[in-house]
Amino acid sequence: MTTRHFLTLLDFSPEELRQIITRASELRRMQHEGVLYQPFVGRTLGMIFEKSSTRTRVSFEAGMAQFGGHGIFLSPRDTQLGRGEPIEDSARVISSMVDIVMIRTFDHAMVETFAKYSRVPVINALTDAHHPCQLLADMQTYFELRGDIAGKVVTWVGDGNNMCASFIHAAHQFGFELRVSAPYGFEPNLDLIKEYAHCVTLVEDINEAVKGSHLIATDVWASMGQENEQNTRARRFSQYMVTRSLLDKADPDVLFMHCLPAHRGEEISYDLLDDPRAVVWHEAENRLHAQKALMEFLLKDKIHFA
Ligand code: CP
Ligand code: NVA
């Protein structure tokens, strides 16, 4: 049997993605009701972090503990990976000792190589190219608050970064129309736009882009690893701040999402997260439930369901 991985949203079928987010909502309800559900007793998650994190680390580690399992935090500062041990060798060794692995790193090729040599499922917990776990939580949140996203209009505002690329995959997999409103020169990879032209368009004018939108999402202007571009980017993105008045131009039922951390006064106005249309706390919490559902799905042959 081949090992399944979750490196991008394309690794699962649309039906499997929907199954995972439906299950995530069930796990959310169980967690809120205080139901103890521990299908992972004796199971271990290897957590490789080469970049900083709050949400991803806490959600994976807490999720694993809630499931009765254990998460091992591995940073390059303390492991041989950080001293240049080949990824292939690390993957063989780590995957012989744990049941599942999540990796947050820079180069997407690193998670692909790790997955190739891993005996156990590998989850991409953010690379420079994609952030699929965030999209599971975002889709779960939209479905919980507004129902099916198929046929809806979603506008991505700002940098054509890893989050934007995962939104493009989500548009294809969940059947919504995505408008990307980015400053010239900061659009997502144009090959990606071409490949997904059936569901993605570039609309440089931010006010045009949000008209009639059901969901607006944005992210920081400078991602991790781009700190030295912060000042240039702040100038180039200055027209791309999401404000309450921008949301007023969208559909009356619009929601606003941000993967967080957010920079008030840059990509969002100071008061945006206080607006009831902003659902970022619900979205952030759903990282926990969506990833529990994801791990349960990837390890389904090893566990007993509640
Ligand atoms: N959204 C997200 O991935 O947050 P962290 O960087 O805190 O994990
Ligand atoms: N685009 C951001 C997302 C952080 C969760 C980054 O890569 O830093």
Side-chain angles (χ1 to χ4, degrees):
M1 200 174 54
T2 56
T3 304
R4 303 276 307 266
H5 303 292
F6 184 62
L7 306 190
T8 76
L9 289 173
L10 304 180
D11 286 327
F12 293 167
S13 69
E15 295 69 34
E16 287 171 332
L17 291 171
R18 280 166 181 266
Q19 184 188 327
I20 289 166
I21 62 169
T22 304
R23 179 63 175 163
S25 295
E26 236 169 75
L27 292 172
R28 178 183 166 104
R29 184 186 46 76
M30 284 161 64
Q31 185 70 19
H32 287 190
E33 287 170 2
V35 176
L36 207 60
Y37 170 50
Q38 303 206 306
F40 281 6
V41 173
R43 305 289 174 197
T44 307
L45 166 72
M47 303 168 59
I48 300 174
F49 278 96
E50 297 188 329
K51 284 180 173 178
S52 304
S53 167
T54 296
R55 280 143 287 269
T56 305
R57 172 155 184 201
V58 176
S59 53
F60 270 110
E61 203 166 319
M64 203 60 196
Q66 288 164 13
F67 269 175
H70 183 71
I72 306 178
F73 177 74
L74 300 161
S75 101
R77 267 200 305 280
D78 322 302
T79 57
Q80 301 292 3
L81 257 175
R83 295 181 61 249
E85 182 168 10
I87 295 157
E88 295 84 337
D89 298 1
S90 304
R92 286 186 180 104
V93 173
I94 293 170
S95 74
S96 71
M97 298 177 183
V98 304
D99 298 281
I100 185 162
V101 173
M102 56 120 294
I103 305 175
R104 167 167 287 200
T105 190
F106 293 84
D107 188 0
H108 192 75
M110 187 274 188
V111 294
E112 290 177 334
T113 305
F114 196 106
K116 186 169 166 197
Y117 290 90
S118 173
R119 293 204 326 221
V120 301
V122 175
I123 296 170
N124 173 6
L126 182 145
T127 62
D128 288 345
H130 298 282
H131 194 5
C133 288
Q134 183 67 52
L135 261 294
L136 287 183
D138 292 5
M139 293 298 103
Q140 179 195 344
T141 306
Y142 192 89
F143 276 66
E144 284 173 352
L145 298 174
R146 293 286 185 269
D148 202 324
I149 200 163
K152 302 286 186 197
V153 179
V154 178
T155 301
W156 174 262
V157 176
D159 195 17
N161 61 10
N162 44 8
M163 274 298 300
C164 179
S166 289
F167 258 101
I168 293 174
H169 283 169
H172 175 70
Q173 295 287 62
F174 286 92
F176 58 83
E177 176 195 333
L178 180 69
R179 299 177 191 153
V180 175
S181 191
Y184 179 73
F186 293 91
E187 301 90 351
N189 181 312
L190 292 182
D191 291 338
L192 203 59
I193 297 281
K194 261 190 227 149
E195 188 177 351
Y196 294 99
H198 56 279
C199 54
V200 183
T201 48
L202 287 176
V203 185
E204 198 177 334
D205 181 333
I206 182 175
N207 294 302
E208 252 334 283
V210 300
K211 271 188 196 159
S213 282
H214 302 98
L215 170 63
I216 297 175
T218 193
D219 188 10
V220 291
W221 291 340
S223 284
M224 288 181 275
Q226 298 173 331
E227 288 78 5
N228 59 0
E229 298 174 29
Q230 173 65 34
N231 292 341
T232 327
R233 285 172 169 265
R235 279 194 300 279
R236 297 298 311 280
F237 284 80
S238 61
Q239 302 303 309
Y240 289 83
M241 179 193 278
V242 181
T243 61
R244 283 176 153 167
S245 58
L246 188 76
L247 300 191
D248 292 341
K249 298 182 174 138
D251 185 89
D253 272 342
V254 71
L255 294 179
F256 171 75
M257 293 188 195
H258 189 312
C259 61
L260 305 178
H263 293 184
R264 291 169 177 84
E266 292 184 25
E267 77 275 5
I268 57 163
S269 58
Y270 282 96
D271 58 358
L272 188 68
L273 300 191
D274 304 322
D275 190 289
R277 294 168 291 186
V279 292
V280 298
W281 313 124
H282 188 134
E283 178 190 7
E285 182 193 321
N286 278 348
R287 293 292 304 280
L288 171 70
H289 311 297
Q291 288 154 198
K292 284 170 77 179
L294 171 65
M295 292 192 288
E296 189 188 54
F297 179 87
L298 286 167
L299 292 183
K300 61 179 179 291
D301 298 329
K302 289 191 174 179
I303 62 177
H304 301 289
F305 286 86

